[in-house]
Amino acid sequence: MTTAAVATSLVVCACLTGTSVVGCGKGSGGSAPAAGSAGSAAGAATKPSPPSAQPAAKPMIKDDGANQLLAKGTTCKLQQDSLPLDCPELAAISDYAFQHQGSTEASETCAACLADPDPLKKKLAAECLAHFNSNGVTPSLGFALDAIEAEKDPKIKEEIAWGIKNAEATTAHLDDRVLAVAQQLTADPKTETAASYVFMSLFPQYMLGSGPKPPAKAQAAALQALRADGTAMQRAAFDAVSLLDDKAAVCAAIDADLRPDAKQWAIAADALAHMKDACVASLAKTIGFVLARMLAGDDHLEILRRYDAVFDLDAATRSKIARAIRAARPKATEWKRKDFDATAAQFSKPAAKKP
């Protein structure tokens, strides 16, 4: 190797903390950085390059703007163990990341600062990651998993996990590692929510188009999580039901969770709309259950409105729903009654034509 080649291979990285330098050298946990242009639009056609076969490097400082914002740190005081939303430094790094949401360089810079000894800077860096799109954050997924495993504070683990929930684990070839990390985090109640955010990277969803197909192991884990009543993993799995191949198993899991003692029955009922025709055989029973819970004082009008938007409800069903809403209205709090009136009026009219 020539002297010039050696010189160009030694990139200095620093999350500036006074005179300290962190995130330098080589390790074995992160995914290799992929090239990307700053400011590329969300959902761009170009996907992150797969990890290199070379030994993975530690994340490097590649974006001076992000680094300068993170280096400032913050003097904001924590509220419920988190930085307040009106913290100026939190807003600044969030805005910067959003403006450069497709930039792998800015994303990797934020990932490098997850190793900073200052917990407040770690929180800023985690929040930074949360504002990149999948193209921007996917190449930093491995780095973030390294940081999660190295971190001792459960809350910071959770915030880092939230930061990479939009990454594509399959694109990064990190399916197995994501599953393993999620399993480790699930074992501790303090990090179970973090597990659900990590798990979400296996099920990327977009308003337009679709992400990579979730691998079989991930789908099996999601089906199992659907039965884990009241857990964050169950919520994540219900959010992903439309991406699961075994529709019959999903419909059965939804049906099993429609019982008064289920902690998250409303999420299961709402998931029926995401399944559309796949679980339509359960629609009448589910509507009956939702109406019964509403009459008992546990109302979720948003689920009924979602059904109206997705399914072709016949006149008799619409009339039944409207009557039940009016009957339940007196039990609703004063501020909810306008919503009851509006929803009852909606179901009293013929169904709107579906697009």
Side-chain angles (χ1 to χ4, degrees), residues 241-255:
V241 290
S242 62
L243 301 178
L244 303 182
D245 293 333
D246 193 340
K247 307 301 184 186
V250 172
C251 297
I254 291 174
D255 188 65

Side-chain angles (χ1 to χ4, degrees), residues 45-58:
T46 303
K47 293 294 182 183
S49 301
S52 167
Q54 299 297 320
K58 293 289 186 182

Side-chain angles (χ1 to χ4, degrees), residues 67-307:
N67 188 44
Q68 292 299 327
L69 289 172
L70 290 165
K72 287 174 61 179
T74 177
T75 57
C76 295
K77 295 183 179 180
L78 297 180
Q79 295 179 5
Q80 297 181 336
D81 208 22
S82 297
L83 288 169
L85 295 178
D86 60 355
C87 177
E89 292 83 8
L90 186 69
I93 193 61
S94 299
D95 289 345
Y96 187 90
F98 182 76
Q99 292 165 9
H100 300 79
Q101 59 184 277
S103 170
T104 58
E105 291 86 358
S107 172
E108 186 173 341
T109 299
C110 293
C113 291
L114 295 174
D116 197 285
D118 182 352
L120 295 183
K121 288 183 181 177
K122 291 180 185 179
K123 289 174 179 287
L124 287 175
E127 181 67 18
C128 177
L129 288 175
H131 294 276
F132 292 100
N133 62 24
S134 64
N135 286 350
V137 74
T138 294
S140 291
L141 176 58
F143 302 142
L145 294 175
D146 288 344
I148 289 171
E149 291 188 307
E151 182 57 51
K152 303 300 182 184
D153 186 326
K155 184 62 178 179
I156 294 179
K157 283 179 182 282
E158 182 178 317
E159 291 173 348
I160 298 172
W162 172 257
I164 47 89
K165 67 187 185 303
N166 293 326
E168 293 181 1
T170 300
T171 299
H173 302 300
L174 290 171
D175 307 356
D176 289 341
R177 187 173 179 207
V178 163
L179 280 170
V181 171
Q183 185 176 18
Q184 293 168 6
L185 295 171
T186 301
D188 183 349
K190 293 181 180 179
T191 55
E192 201 258 338
T193 298
S196 70
Y197 297 150
V198 171
F199 192 65
M200 288 169 67
S201 68
L202 291 159
F203 300 92
Q205 300 185 60
Y206 307 98
M207 292 182 66
L208 299 175
S210 59
K213 182 182 178 65
K217 288 182 181 180
Q219 295 199 37
L223 288 174
Q224 183 178 5
L226 289 176
R227 305 293 185 127
D229 186 37
T231 64
M233 285 293 287
Q234 185 190 41
R235 291 194 298 273
F238 271 126
D239 284 343
V241 290
S242 62
L243 301 178
L244 303 182
D245 293 333
D246 193 340
K247 307 301 184 186
V250 172
C251 297
I254 291 174
D255 188 65
D257 215 46
L258 296 178
R259 59 183 200 279
D261 66 317
K263 297 176 181 178
Q264 298 181 147
W265 70 262
I267 296 176
D270 189 68
L272 192 77
H274 296 296
M275 296 300 291
K276 299 180 179 178
D277 292 343
C279 299
V280 73
S282 300
L283 180 59
K285 176 184 176 182
T286 306
I287 289 175
F289 179 83
V290 173
L291 296 181
R293 296 308 307 151
M294 181 177 64
L295 290 167
D298 190 5
D299 58 89
H300 285 272
L301 297 177
E302 75 284 355
I303 295 174
L304 297 171
R305 291 194 293 267
R306 191 125 49 230
Y307 288 174

